[in-house]
Amino acid sequence: MSDITEQENRTPDASTRDQNLSGIGRSASLISMGNIAGRILGLVREMIIARYFGATGEVSAFRTASQVPTALYDLLVGGMLSAALVPTLNEYTSLEHRKTFARLVSSLLILFALALALITITLEFFAPQIAQWLAPGFRVNTPHLLILTIRLLRIAVPTVWFISMAGVVMGILYAQERFTFPAMAAAIFNLGIVVTTPLLASSLGILSLAVGMLIGSIAQLIFMGWDLVRFLYQENLLSSLRPSNHPALSKILHLYLPIASVTLFSTGQIALDRRLANSTGELSVAWMQYATTLQQLPLGLISIAISLASLPRLSHYFTIQDQKKYRQTLSTGLRLVLLLIVPAAAILWILGEPIIRLIFEHQSSIFAPEDTARVFPALRIYAIGMIFAAIDNPLNYAFYARNNTLLPAIVGVISILVYVITAFTLLNTMGYLALVWADTIKHSSHMLLMILALYWQIGRLQAGLCISWSKILGAGAGMAVVVWATYHLFQFYIFPSYNLAYDNMTTQNFTKSPTFLVDLLILSGSAGLGLSAYIMLLYWFGVRDFATLVASLRKKSNI
């Protein structure tokens, strides 16, 4: 172990840092275990979509329609959950504030239920206009896809009410550090499509996906609502459930307004993204979404889980004005995120092609080798942006914990402008990949600006953070070399037929792909050796966080 690492071990803050890492690691692992189920079912969902519908214009119509509930959830609840609900409600979790907490819960649920009902009715009425704006290419070139998008949108719109109400319940549970049921919520939602599509695809076609979304959202709300009722019953708070005009409601609104403004811009950016993607071809949205699904898997399991696990602690330390522990907790989260996201990005970058074939192409007679060739470059670009997005999440939550939503909102608007400029600059020459690059550059610019803003607000974080990051990136580079060398060894020397398939892909001759077994052997062998090399290098470089994380997870598994 290096002298620098030994010096870190002798600092008085070492035990506090280890406690933070252990606590965040256990909470994040709990969230991740639930997220694993959700992400696995999410992959199964995408495999089912690929199996039954491939990468077609119908799938692009569904992606366009399903984006509306997702974007509105982000606008109405997603940003509020982490920026306002959890930090504010966390202040009323002590025993003396239990009844106040119950009254706040009542007020929030009633207000959101009424507001969301009005929004849902409005969306149903304007569904044709929304579809025409999102997919102008459909209106000109494929009118039948525009009609299909309107039908899908009208089925999916009620999902807005259910997933948004589920998001409010999720924020209430997170404030109480009840992570288990919220972590499983994504699995319940994805289960809707997983179960419904095989049953209804033959009779409803692509409409079965929208029906599955709706069923999944209803089940998700019931699932988390049960845990909230159970908590209120255990704490004898059911009798205190009556709405009141508490100052905390005004505080939530005050914190949310900046985030709502930038989320509105972000919603417009997403709508513009779909509009531009549809203009580059009817399959572009489908290709981009398959790549996004693979990118979102590690982001959800790692970055979002760690950020959510850190948020209640960061809010608590800010409330009691313990800046030292606040910095330590944030630094721990940032090290942990990079430690886990680097190998995931390396695997997606190098092994993305066999991953796409295994998950989508080999499972479907409709998802063709050409689709794999179009999804792979998008996935590679997304893998670069994934590292920036992963680091960016804890930085955002660090500001939310400080009741500062204005700075993240300003940075968000700037990054959206970066996206728009990049997209329009590259669109004519790169097609749909221009939008993928624009998204990646947006995330990188957002992360860099957030680091500068955080430094301006609180100064330096914990000493040694940059050194830890350097060691992790060094270990990741070594892992990437091992994965690349092993992959090419398999590709050119052990499986000659794989080399032929590779030549077919690079020459745009999409006639032959490797078999499922060959792809599985190459993927598992290359990734396995790469991860082994990464672990060895982490120990070699003396990355203390990795050893502490392993110890904390072992301790949790023995409980």
Side-chain angles (χ1 to χ4, degrees), residues 232-249:
L232 295 172
Y233 175 77
Q234 291 171 348
E235 299 295 328
N236 295 319
L237 294 175
L238 289 176
S239 60
S240 301
L241 286 176
R242 58 180 181 274
S244 64
N245 186 18
H246 194 274
L249 295 174

Side-chain angles (χ1 to χ4, degrees), residues 416-458:
I416 290 170
L417 293 176
V418 170
Y419 166 88
V420 172
I421 293 171
T422 306
F424 279 104
T425 302
L426 302 178
L427 188 64
N428 290 332
T429 57
M430 300 187 66
Y432 72 100
L433 291 180
L435 306 177
V436 184
W437 271 118
D439 185 75
T440 295
I441 295 172
K442 180 190 78 171
H443 285 303
S444 61
S445 64
H446 195 284
M447 185 210 74
L448 293 173
L449 290 173
M450 288 298 290
I451 289 176
L452 293 175
L454 189 67
Y455 182 80
W456 176 53
Q457 285 282 293
I458 67 173

Side-chain angles (χ1 to χ4, degrees), residues 262 265-266 269 411-421 442:
V262 72
F265 276 97
S266 180
Q269 178 244 306
V411 172
V413 171
I414 295 172
S415 67
I416 290 170
L417 293 176
V418 170
Y419 166 88
V420 172
I421 293 171
K442 180 190 78 171

Side-chain angles (χ1 to χ4, degrees), residues 24-322:
I24 294 174
R26 285 196 298 270
S27 297
S29 65
L30 180 61
I31 297 173
S32 292
M33 284 188 290
N35 279 347
I36 286 172
R39 299 293 172 172
I40 289 175
L41 283 173
L43 279 179
V44 174
R45 177 198 66 203
E46 296 301 318
M47 291 167 65
I48 287 175
I49 294 174
R51 178 181 180 85
Y52 284 91
F53 307 107
T56 60
E58 287 188 343
V59 173
S60 291
F62 168 72
R63 302 294 190 192
T64 301
S66 64
Q67 191 64 55
V68 174
T70 303
L72 283 170
Y73 168 81
D74 291 338
L75 173 63
L76 300 172
V77 176
M80 179 183 286
L81 190 152
S82 53
L85 279 182
V86 176
T88 302
L89 291 176
N90 187 261
E91 299 175 7
Y92 298 93
T93 56
S94 58
L95 290 175
E96 62 269 24
H97 292 129
R98 288 297 195 187
K99 291 185 178 180
T100 300
F101 180 85
R103 289 194 290 271
L104 284 174
V105 167
S106 303
S107 301
L108 287 169
L109 292 176
I110 292 173
L111 288 173
F112 270 93
L114 295 175
L116 289 168
L118 180 61
I119 291 171
T120 301
I121 294 171
T122 304
L123 289 173
E124 286 284 359
F125 184 79
F126 287 104
Q129 289 78 11
I130 296 172
Q132 289 175 25
W133 195 90
L134 290 175
F138 289 171
R139 180 176 55 185
V140 176
N141 303 317
T142 51
H144 69 284
L145 289 181
L146 178 60
I147 296 172
L148 178 61
T149 303
I150 296 171
R151 295 181 65 190
L152 287 165
L153 185 57
R154 282 191 159 144
I155 297 173
V157 157
T159 304
V160 173
W161 193 92
F162 291 103
I163 62 173
S164 298
M165 288 300 298
V168 175
V169 175
M170 182 183 293
I172 295 168
L173 294 175
Y174 275 143
Q176 294 292 333
E177 298 194 33
R178 295 175 71 92
F179 297 118
T180 305
F181 275 66
M184 294 298 296
I188 300 297
F189 179 76
N190 290 327
L191 198 60
I193 290 180
V194 170
V195 173
T196 303
T197 302
L199 295 175
L200 301 179
S202 59
S203 57
L204 295 180
I206 197 76
L207 297 179
S208 61
L209 297 179
V211 174
M213 277 185 61
L214 181 58
I215 293 174
S217 66
I218 295 171
Q220 182 187 54
L221 177 58
I222 294 173
F223 181 73
M224 283 195 296
W226 162 250
D227 191 45
L228 178 59
V229 171
R230 188 177 62 161
F231 162 74
L232 295 172
Y233 175 77
Q234 291 171 348
E235 299 295 328
N236 295 319
L237 294 175
L238 289 176
S239 60
S240 301
L241 286 176
R242 58 180 181 274
S244 64
N245 186 18
H246 194 274
L249 295 174
S250 299
K251 181 179 180 180
I252 290 173
L253 180 62
H254 174 74
L255 292 173
Y256 173 62
L257 284 177
I259 297 299
S261 300
V262 72
T263 308
L264 186 61
F265 276 97
S266 180
T267 302
Q269 178 244 306
I270 293 170
L272 177 64
D273 181 83
R274 286 292 177 260
R275 181 181 175 92
L276 294 176
N278 282 316
S279 71
T280 63
E282 66 179 65
L283 303 183
S284 297
V285 174
W287 291 332
M288 291 168 61
Q289 186 58 46
Y290 283 123
T292 300
T293 297
L294 296 176
Q295 176 220 32
Q296 290 295 325
L297 176 63
L299 271 179
L301 294 178
I302 297 168
S303 179
I304 295 175
I306 291 171
S307 300
L308 285 171
S310 303
L311 182 57
R313 288 170 177 253
L314 290 171
S315 298
H316 173 70
Y317 291 143
F318 176 74
T319 300
I320 64 175
Q321 293 299 302
D322 193 334

Side-chain angles (χ1 to χ4, degrees), residues 296-465:
Q296 290 295 325
L297 176 63
L299 271 179
L301 294 178
I302 297 168
S303 179
I304 295 175
I306 291 171
S307 300
L308 285 171
S310 303
L311 182 57
R313 288 170 177 253
L314 290 171
S315 298
H316 173 70
Y317 291 143
F318 176 74
T319 300
I320 64 175
Q321 293 299 302
D322 193 334
Q323 294 297 323
K324 183 178 180 180
K325 288 187 177 180
Y326 176 91
R327 290 189 179 92
Q328 290 171 345
T329 302
L330 178 56
S331 300
T332 297
L334 290 170
R335 287 196 305 270
L336 195 55
V337 164
L338 192 66
L339 178 72
L340 297 176
I341 205 67
V342 162
I347 288 173
L348 288 180
W349 170 264
I350 301 171
L351 303 177
E353 191 176 295
I355 290 173
I356 295 165
R357 280 198 296 267
L358 278 171
I359 295 176
F360 301 128
E361 184 183 329
H362 289 310
Q363 310 302 321
S364 172
S365 59
I366 305 175
F367 195 100
E370 181 179 0
D371 297 318
T372 298
R374 304 305 183 195
V375 174
F376 179 45
L379 178 60
R380 274 193 152 181
I381 300 169
Y382 279 136
I384 298 172
M386 184 176 71
I387 297 178
F388 296 106
I391 297 173
D392 196 39
N393 280 321
L395 297 175
N396 278 309
Y397 282 45
F399 277 96
Y400 299 159
R402 300 177 67 83
N403 295 329
N404 186 341
T405 56
L406 182 59
L407 269 176
I410 294 172
V411 172
V413 171
I414 295 172
S415 67
I416 290 170
L417 293 176
V418 170
Y419 166 88
V420 172
I421 293 171
T422 306
F424 279 104
T425 302
L426 302 178
L427 188 64
N428 290 332
T429 57
M430 300 187 66
Y432 72 100
L433 291 180
L435 306 177
V436 184
W437 271 118
D439 185 75
T440 295
I441 295 172
K442 180 190 78 171
H443 285 303
S444 61
S445 64
H446 195 284
M447 185 210 74
L448 293 173
L449 290 173
M450 288 298 290
I451 289 176
L452 293 175
L454 189 67
Y455 182 80
W456 176 53
Q457 285 282 293
I458 67 173
R460 291 184 59 189
L461 295 177
Q462 193 175 23
L465 177 62

